[in-house]
Amino acid sequence: MVFLPGSNEIYKDALALHARHHGKLEIRSKVPLRNRHDLALAYTPGVAEVCRRISLNKNLAYKYTLKANTIAIVTDGSAVLGLGNIGGSAAIPVMEGKAILFKEFAGIDAFPICFENYETDFTDQVKNIAPVFGGINLEDIAAPKCFEVEDALQDLGIPVMHDDQHGTAVVVLGALLNACRVTGKKFTDLNIVICGAGAAGFAITRLLKCIGYDPKVCTMVNEIIVCDTQGTIFRGREGLYRNKYKFILAEETNKPALAGSLADAMVGADVFIGVSSPGVVTEDMVRSMNRDAVVFAMANPVPEIWPDAALRAGAAVVGTGRSDFPNQINNVLGFPGIFRGALDARATRISDEMKIAAAHAIAGFVKKPTREAILPNILDKGVTKAVAKAVAKAAIESGCSRPKE
């Protein structure tokens, strides 16, 4: 299958839907405006007293405004889906879609904020829009810029998370925990190959290898080898100094310093995690893995290897990013509940403990995982509630929550 615009009926239907409704979002008032008294309460002069109170105590914005339940979905349009650097205007439909997922699954009001990617002061502009929002979801920003932007926004006093990184990593960890329950593999013994060293690949590696995480709350797998388009990433590989994030991966993973191709890396591996390109994995590569191998081929819409081929080659558990195969590994299992819990706790940031709590809540929601059901159904809103509860608790315990007024 090849992904071509307009090659599938779903694309025609999507165009018709968006044209019919002129997008997917609208703003509605929570209060009536039936007469002058209503107007005086909602706007002038009554609103002046609300403003005055907030000017004396900024935290009252959580009590008197939409801030307590509103997320900004921020992008520069530089890495939208599999379409690449298409700019802020073309990114609007995706951000609208993310907003309705927030609303449907977590009851959160979210709004797209789409910048053009040529903006040089992107981070400063995001900081300047922050007062109205209770949190910021960074979306579809190309690496390595996404890492730099997220790091620069951590002191805003509200949770900021790049979902392509941490949302993906959280769901992958949840899936992997249950894959171990199904196969009998021990999490701390896992040897993993990750194909893709961009935003998702970097964050998955960090979480599974506990790079930068508090070792008291993070459990580390045995070994990870990360591959990019040039093959394995290892200490001493020429040119790594040009990308500090790949340099970090080289320092913290692939301790044997294996140099070679993706096929070389997969020999004897327990787990393959793909966040890269269609069709880069063959059946022979899966056959070279350890017995009862786990294959998460998450390139979307065309995975690194199709599930039937991976199973035919001996994989025990296979997941993809698609909804038409078992074990869909999708961020919607994570981000609505993570932000719901963060907002409920009035969190100042997304801590290590909150992300790991979310992953365990996702895994724990499946009471009896099987080879074809290691994750909850993404349409089950109970997942969001479970994740939110776990995240809010972790926010309080890790000292990231603020008291309510």
Side-chain angles (χ1 to χ4, degrees):
M1 177 179 177
V2 179
F3 178 68
L4 295 173
S7 65
N8 192 303
E9 193 66 27
I10 193 70
Y11 303 133
K12 296 178 182 178
D13 292 346
L15 285 171
L17 173 75
H18 287 73
R20 183 164 63 250
H21 296 284
H22 297 285
K24 301 180 286 281
L25 292 180
E26 66 180 4
I27 295 176
R28 296 187 181 186
S29 174
K30 297 178 181 178
V31 299
L33 290 177
R34 298 162 300 194
N35 50 49
R36 289 179 180 273
H37 181 67
D38 289 345
L39 186 61
L41 292 177
Y43 197 48
T44 184
V47 76
E49 179 61 15
V50 185
C51 295
R52 189 186 71 81
R53 295 290 182 95
I54 296 172
S55 72
L56 297 174
N57 181 357
K58 287 185 178 180
N59 282 338
L60 287 175
Y62 285 93
K63 179 177 181 179
Y64 290 128
T65 77
L66 78 175
K67 184 181 181 77
N69 196 50
T70 305
I71 295 291
I73 306 173
V74 175
T75 186
D76 67 350
S78 60
V80 181
L81 299 178
L83 304 173
N85 187 353
I86 61 175
S89 296
I92 295 172
V94 178
M95 303 310 121
E96 281 191 311
K98 197 71 176 269
I100 65 175
L101 292 176
F102 268 117
K103 188 65 174 179
E104 180 69 19
F105 288 97
I108 293 171
D109 296 317
F111 195 82
I113 306 292
C114 300
F115 295 87
E116 290 297 346
N117 54 39
Y118 55 78
E119 296 286 355
T120 56
D121 56 347
F122 178 60
T123 301
D124 285 339
Q125 294 200 33
V126 176
K127 288 180 179 179
N128 288 334
I129 66 166
V132 75
F133 299 106
I136 293 176
N137 182 96
L138 299 173
E139 190 78 16
D140 289 353
I141 301 170
K145 184 178 179 181
C146 61
F147 308 128
E148 298 161 357
V149 170
E150 187 185 55
D151 287 347
L153 295 173
Q154 289 305 305
D155 293 327
L156 276 182
I158 58 175
V160 178
M161 186 179 82
H162 185 212
D163 185 47
D164 296 335
Q165 292 184 62
H166 307 293
T168 305
V170 162
V171 179
V172 166
L173 174 55
L176 196 55
L177 289 169
N178 278 348
C180 286
R181 291 169 66 187
V182 169
T183 61
K185 292 178 181 288
K186 189 176 180 181
F187 185 84
T188 52
D189 290 340
L190 293 177
N191 293 314
I192 298 174
V193 173
I194 296 178
C195 183
F202 182 75
I204 294 167
T205 303
R206 284 189 64 202
L207 182 54
L208 298 184
K209 199 64 176 164
C210 299
I211 302 169
Y213 280 77
D214 184 342
K216 295 179 182 178
V217 300
C218 187
T219 301
M220 187 188 306
V221 299
N222 182 54
E223 185 58 277
I224 296 178
I225 297 177
V226 183
C227 297
D228 61 10
T229 55
Q230 298 179 49
T232 61
I233 294 175
F234 60 93
R235 282 168 292 172
R237 195 179 90 174
E238 185 178 353
L240 281 181
Y241 64 89
R242 290 193 291 266
N243 185 319
K244 71 176 184 179
Y245 300 99
K246 289 187 180 181
F247 188 84
I248 291 170
L249 293 179
E251 288 294 304
E252 300 289 344
T253 66
N254 193 2
K255 295 304 182 185
L258 173 68
S261 66
L262 174 62
D264 296 324
M266 288 180 66
V267 175
D270 298 295
V271 179
F272 167 83
I273 299 172
V275 280
S276 55
S277 304
V280 297
V281 174
T282 67
E283 290 187 40
D284 284 342
M285 292 160 72
V286 175
R287 290 190 187 98
S288 75
M289 298 175 70
N290 279 343
R291 185 176 179 179
D292 290 330
V294 175
V295 174
F296 294 161
M298 296 160 54
N300 212 356
V302 180
E304 287 82 0
I305 184 171
W306 289 103
D308 58 345
L311 292 167
R312 189 166 54 241
V317 177
V318 179
T320 70
R322 295 173 59 114
S323 61
D324 51 350
F325 293 104
N327 298 324
Q328 184 181 13
I329 303 170
N330 189 291
N331 290 13
V332 78
L333 289 169
F335 72 81
I338 293 172
F339 274 99
R340 178 73 274 161
L343 289 175
D344 290 345
R346 294 192 180 174
T348 57
R349 62 176 59 236
I350 306 287
S351 66
D352 294 353
E353 291 88 345
M354 292 161 73
K355 286 180 277 189
I356 292 171
H360 282 274
I362 292 168
F365 196 82
V366 184
K367 302 307 179 187
K368 295 182 179 179
T370 66
R371 294 183 181 223
E372 293 194 343
I374 57 170
L375 285 171
N377 186 317
I378 66 167
L379 297 177
D380 189 337
K381 296 178 184 178
V383 182
T384 298
K385 293 179 181 178
V387 171
K389 182 178 179 181
V391 167
K393 182 174 183 288
I396 295 168
E397 292 176 349
S398 60
C400 292
S401 64
R402 59 165 58 82
K404 295 184 179 181
E405 296 295 331

